[in-house]
Amino acid sequence: MRVSGIEPNHITFVTLISGCAHFPSQAQSFGFALHAYARKLGLDTHNVKVGTAVIDMYSKFGLVGFARLSFEHMGVKNKVTWNTMVDGHMRNGDFKNAVKVFDEMPQRDVISWTALIGGFIKNGLFEEALLWFREMQLSDVEPDYVTMVSVLSACANLGTIGISLWLHQFISRREFKDNVRVNNSLVDMYCRCGCIELACQVFDKMTERSLISWNSIIVGLAINGHALDALQYFDSMQNEGFQPDAVTFTGVLTACSHAGLVEKGLKYFRSMKGVHRISPRIEHYGCIVDLYSRAGRLEDALGVIKNMPVKPNEVILGSILAACRNLSDVKLAERLMRYIYELDPDGDSNHVLLSNIYAAVGSWRGASTVRKKMKVLGIQKRPGISSIEVGGVFNEFVAGDRSHIHAEQIYAMLENLSGELRVSGYVEDNISELYECG
């Protein structure tokens, strides 16, 4: 175009700069050159579309400082520009400045609020996202289906059933109540909160379904232990003409693993490539390792690990190590350590699990050796954190935590529950508990 002597205009720059934003690793130098050319022509400061495209490009390059400089130099800004800057700060984890820009906006619309809420969610700050959603309601800005998908995602990650039920009622009074993405998010949210009956109710009432809808219910049922129901939905899905994908088979294989359906699980696994032309990924091999491990077929599980085309991850090794502990198979656990040290020599979870395997069989020397090695390598056990929502307030606890205002009542209740469990015949695993805390 330039060789032909045709001068680019603002549409040319917006198109090319937006293209660069999609390829941050390959097109960064070209993006800089484009911005320099646009600045020479005065387009980046006086044309709002070009300036906004530049902000978006630098944000996606991870250069939020450059994005902010471009934002400050713009002579004309519109709502899209402000929203892009909020999203740029959020994309790069700069929450403080994202909120600052949001507060300075002359006008906020639903996209502005959704950009802020969605940014907190993408960065794992789910409680903050819900707090800002409450602020949005107080501002009298009506959320759209995109906002609700984000908020439902926050609830799913927090497992907040109280707020989840309220959100479902809130959605049922809005025009987007039949939106397939919203209903998919509701199904996923209820599954992750453990409310399988409600998840099935939402799914069964859906007037429109996508592959994501089917995957959400199949995976949700599988991970909550409703294996046979998950497989029934899998059959129904195919009867309705939907072709399964890799996510579908993760749910199906998980269901077979939890139900102890070894041969059926292997049949599904073989059908992935043979029938559906889906190449198994690491999570599918992990499901097969778990399938064998839960069935006590540890040598078969080890055979999968040895022959799989990718290196095992921590989840796969953890599932077979857990089976070694349950079956007191110390020798196989020792053989697995080679993979553990190659994969994650500084990881804590599998080292702790191996020491507990030794402790469970009374091999205190072996357990001590692992602990000493952890000490030499500087590996420390990360404390497990549990959380619970009560009356819309989130409470977090770690082992031995007595900082809560009602700590005495909480521990008294736990002691009563432990007593009732012992009366019912439950035997506590005190050896492992002692060693995990030691």
Side-chain angles (χ1 to χ4, degrees):
M1 178 181 178
R2 294 181 66 194
V3 169
S4 299
I6 299 173
E7 192 72 13
N9 62 10
H10 70 281
I11 297 173
T12 318
F13 280 106
V14 169
T15 303
L16 288 171
I17 291 169
S18 299
C20 290
H22 286 289
F23 302 96
S25 57
Q26 300 102 316
Q28 193 168 113
S29 59
F30 187 50
F32 277 113
L34 283 169
H35 184 202
Y37 194 2
R39 171 156 289 192
K40 182 180 177 182
L41 299 175
L43 289 173
D44 67 327
T45 55
H46 300 300
N47 187 284
V48 69
K49 290 184 178 179
V50 174
T52 302
V54 168
I55 294 167
D56 182 59
M57 179 186 71
Y58 281 135
S59 297
K60 288 176 179 174
F61 284 174
L63 303 171
V64 71
F66 283 5
R68 187 61 184 265
L69 282 172
S70 299
F71 176 79
E72 298 293 350
H73 280 110
M74 285 181 67
V76 182
K77 303 183 183 83
N78 61 14
K79 282 192 288 187
V80 178
T81 312
W82 285 90
N83 292 339
T84 302
M85 194 65 254
V86 170
D87 180 70
H89 280 302
M90 278 297 185
R91 184 184 295 274
N92 290 276
D94 188 356
F95 316 121
K96 184 178 178 181
N97 279 314
V99 172
K100 186 173 183 291
V101 172
F102 181 81
D103 287 339
E104 292 171 354
M105 291 179 72
Q107 285 184 311
R108 299 176 197 139
D109 58 10
V110 63
I111 298 173
S112 315
W113 285 96
T114 302
L116 190 73
I117 293 166
F120 280 115
I121 291 167
K122 286 174 186 174
N123 286 280
L125 301 171
F126 308 115
E127 293 180 40
E128 286 83 349
L130 292 180
L131 288 173
W132 279 102
F133 177 65
R134 289 173 183 169
E135 290 292 324
M136 180 182 182
Q137 290 180 284
L138 293 173
S139 73
D140 292 327
V141 175
E142 184 72 10
D144 61 10
Y145 79 92
V146 179
T147 319
M148 296 316 302
V149 167
S150 294
V151 174
L152 290 170
S153 171
C155 289
N157 281 282
L158 290 169
T160 55
I161 188 57
I163 298 174
S164 299
L165 290 167
W166 179 86
L167 281 174
H168 192 176
Q169 290 298 313
F170 180 84
I171 290 166
S172 68
R173 298 190 295 270
R174 299 299 185 280
E175 61 180 18
F176 49 74
K177 63 183 179 182
D178 293 323
N179 182 281
V180 65
R181 287 184 59 191
V182 171
N183 282 313
N184 289 345
S185 298
L186 277 170
V187 171
D188 179 62
M189 178 190 70
Y190 278 135
C191 285
R192 292 216 242 168
C193 291
C195 302
I196 293 302
E197 287 186 15
L198 291 173
C200 290
Q201 285 176 22
V202 173
F203 180 86
D204 293 338
K205 290 178 181 177
M206 288 176 70
T207 55
E208 179 189 355
R209 297 189 187 115
S210 64
L211 179 59
I212 294 173
S213 314
W214 288 99
N215 285 345
S216 297
I217 195 67
I218 290 168
V219 172
L221 286 164
I223 63 176
N224 281 282
H226 298 264
L228 298 180
D229 291 332
L231 297 179
Q232 284 181 1
Y233 274 100
F234 178 61
D235 291 337
S236 298
M237 167 188 171
Q238 294 177 93
N239 291 336
E240 293 195 16
F242 285 88
Q243 289 298 316
D245 65 0
V247 177
T248 318
F249 276 102
T250 300
V252 168
L253 294 174
T254 300
C256 291
S257 177
H258 286 189
L261 303 172
V262 178
E263 296 308 317
K264 198 164 190 174
L266 294 173
K267 182 181 176 183
Y268 283 130
F269 182 72
R270 288 190 290 267
S271 76
M272 286 181 65
K273 210 166 189 177
V275 178
H276 301 282
R277 297 182 181 179
I278 300 170
S279 296
R281 302 197 296 227
I282 189 167
E283 56 265 32
H284 302 115
Y285 286 104
C287 288
I288 297 302
V289 170
D290 191 56
L291 183 72
Y292 279 132
S293 297
R294 287 173 183 262
R297 294 168 58 174
L298 300 189
E299 288 297 334
D300 288 328
L302 183 60
V304 174
I305 290 174
K306 286 180 177 178
N307 296 314
M308 57 195 281
V310 290
K311 282 188 176 182
N313 58 20
E314 189 176 283
V315 176
I316 291 175
L317 295 173
S319 67
I320 190 170
L321 272 176
C324 288
R325 176 185 172 183
N326 293 335
L327 297 172
S328 301
D329 194 333
V330 177
K331 290 184 178 179
L332 180 57
E334 290 173 337
R335 287 161 64 190
L336 286 167
M337 284 310 295
R338 176 172 66 87
Y339 295 99
I340 292 171
Y341 287 128
E342 285 179 4
L343 173 71
D344 188 13
D346 299 325
D348 66 325
S349 57
N350 286 328
H351 288 84
V352 171
L353 188 51
L354 180 64
S355 73
N356 288 339
I357 292 170
Y358 282 121
V361 297
S363 178
W364 300 107
R365 179 178 294 179
S368 179
T369 299
V370 175
R371 290 292 175 150
K372 284 178 182 176
K373 190 161 190 173
M374 289 176 67
K375 193 171 184 180
V376 169
L377 295 172
I379 301 171
Q380 292 186 336
K381 182 182 181 297
R382 289 167 293 181
I385 298 175
S386 61
S387 64
I388 187 170
E389 173 212 1
V390 180
V393 178
F394 301 98
N395 301 269
E396 287 191 345
F397 301 91
V398 297
D401 186 358
R402 291 187 175 273
S403 60
H404 196 277
I405 190 171
H406 300 301
E408 294 303 319
Q409 295 96 311
I410 290 169
Y411 278 96
M413 177 60 73
L414 286 173
E415 185 59 37
N416 289 337
L417 289 171
S418 296
E420 291 183 23
L421 284 167
R422 286 191 291 270
V423 170
S424 301
Y426 173 74
V427 179
E428 295 180 57
D429 185 5
N430 289 321
I431 293 177
S432 293
E433 183 181 326
L434 174 66
Y435 226 72
E436 284 191 11
C437 295

